[in-house]
Amino acid sequence: QQQVKQSPQSLIVQKGGISIINCAYENTAFDYFPWYQQFPGKGPALLIAIRPDVSEKKEGRFTISFNKSAKQFSLHIMDSQPGDSATYFCAASITGNQFYFGTGTSLTVIP
Amino acid sequence: DAGITQSPRYKITETGRQVTLMCHQTWSHSYMFWYRQDLGHGLRLIYYSAAADITDKGEVPDGYVVSRSKTENFPLTLESATRSQTSVYFCASRSGVGTEAFFGQGTRLTVV
């Protein structure tokens, strides 16, 4: 059973556009929701994370929107750049425990 | 160098052979994890460890064995490799109170 469901599987965006990736979860005990970015041949690296007590967190061009009642969260990449082309994973965890990852979204930003 | 390192980076082995993937971290993080990454499945947890000599199963533990005699090392052993274990394996670590997990570079394992 997939603890975290992620969509879309792949995404193609024009340079300067907005990339949006969505995730949904069921376990209301989750209290930490990170997004990881992975480039080919590399391990995933933390991009941005949020806790359920806030509805939005912004770091530069990257924003997490969190809807606790709907049990959904999303990553928005503003002014998408070719260098943002990577695979993005959402995840959820209960502090002190394991992470559950989504299935990943392959983002391609076309120049 | 500080960080988390995996070895080997690439491995080809035959069906039925035993193979061990190594993971070493220099931060003295309490938690260590092994994930496998497969297209369409994302990252799936194989085993994790909360401290030396404490390990627990994840989502897909069958066919794998782990040990953790020292805090900094967390080897993953495939006792009798099968083709379905062809994958990219990632080791990760996290401090006891921290939230961010740090990943190694991965080991691409091919079982022929």
Side-chain angles (χ1 to χ4, degrees):
Chain A
Q1 181 185 1
Q2 192 75 27
Q3 295 271 357
V4 179
K5 295 181 179 179
Q6 182 173 349
S7 63
Q9 186 174 356
S10 62
L11 182 61
I12 300 174
V13 174
Q14 293 276 359
K15 179 183 176 181
I18 302 173
S19 304
I20 302 175
I21 305 170
N22 301 299
C23 285
Y25 65 97
E26 286 298 324
N27 189 346
T28 55
F30 288 143
D31 61 1
Y32 178 66
F33 301 88
W35 283 90
Y36 279 78
Q37 181 187 53
Q38 183 183 28
F39 293 105
K42 303 291 187 182
L46 179 67
L47 183 64
I48 186 172
I50 197 169
R51 290 201 177 271
D53 53 346
V54 297
S55 60
E56 186 176 281
K57 183 174 181 180
K58 184 175 181 179
E59 291 184 1
R61 296 184 295 107
F62 301 92
T63 300
I64 298 179
S65 296
F66 188 85
N67 186 329
K68 189 173 182 179
S69 61
K71 292 186 284 187
Q72 295 176 347
F73 59 110
S74 60
L75 176 69
H76 296 238
I77 305 175
M78 311 300 289
D79 187 27
S80 298
Q81 298 296 312
D84 296 331
S85 296
T87 299
Y88 293 81
F89 292 96
C90 61
S93 77
I94 302 169
T95 298
N97 282 280
Q98 60 175 290
F99 289 84
Y100 294 93
F101 285 86
T103 51
T105 296
S106 176
L107 172 66
T108 302
V109 181
I110 300 172
Chain B
D1 291 337
I4 182 166
T5 56
Q6 294 182 234
S7 61
R9 290 293 312 277
Y10 304 92
K11 176 74 176 179
I12 300 175
T13 192
E14 295 179 338
T15 300
R17 289 195 177 266
Q18 182 181 81
V19 60
T20 296
L21 310 183
M22 304 301 293
C23 180
H24 175 79
Q25 52 104 354
T26 61
W27 296 301
S28 297
H29 282 171
S30 300
Y31 287 87
M32 296 189 75
F33 308 85
W34 274 107
Y35 289 90
R36 60 177 291 173
Q37 183 175 17
D38 304 288
L39 196 62
H41 292 279
L43 292 155
R44 292 183 292 175
L45 183 66
I46 304 170
Y47 270 95
Y48 66 103
S49 168
D53 297 321
I54 301 174
T55 62
D56 209 345
K57 296 179 180 179
E59 302 169 74
V60 290
D62 293 343
Y64 303 94
V65 175
V66 293
S67 62
R68 195 171 177 203
S69 57
K70 293 183 178 181
T71 299
E72 62 267 30
N73 296 323
F74 191 37
L76 176 73
T77 297
L78 288 67
E79 293 188 299
S80 179
T82 65
R83 289 196 179 90
S84 65
Q85 293 177 309
T86 292
S87 186
V88 181
Y89 291 85
F90 286 99
C91 178
S93 72
R94 176 169 62 80
S95 70
V97 296
T99 49
E100 180 177 355
F102 296 87
F103 283 80
Q105 295 275 62
T107 295
R108 181 175 293 276
L109 176 68
T110 302
V111 182
V112 298

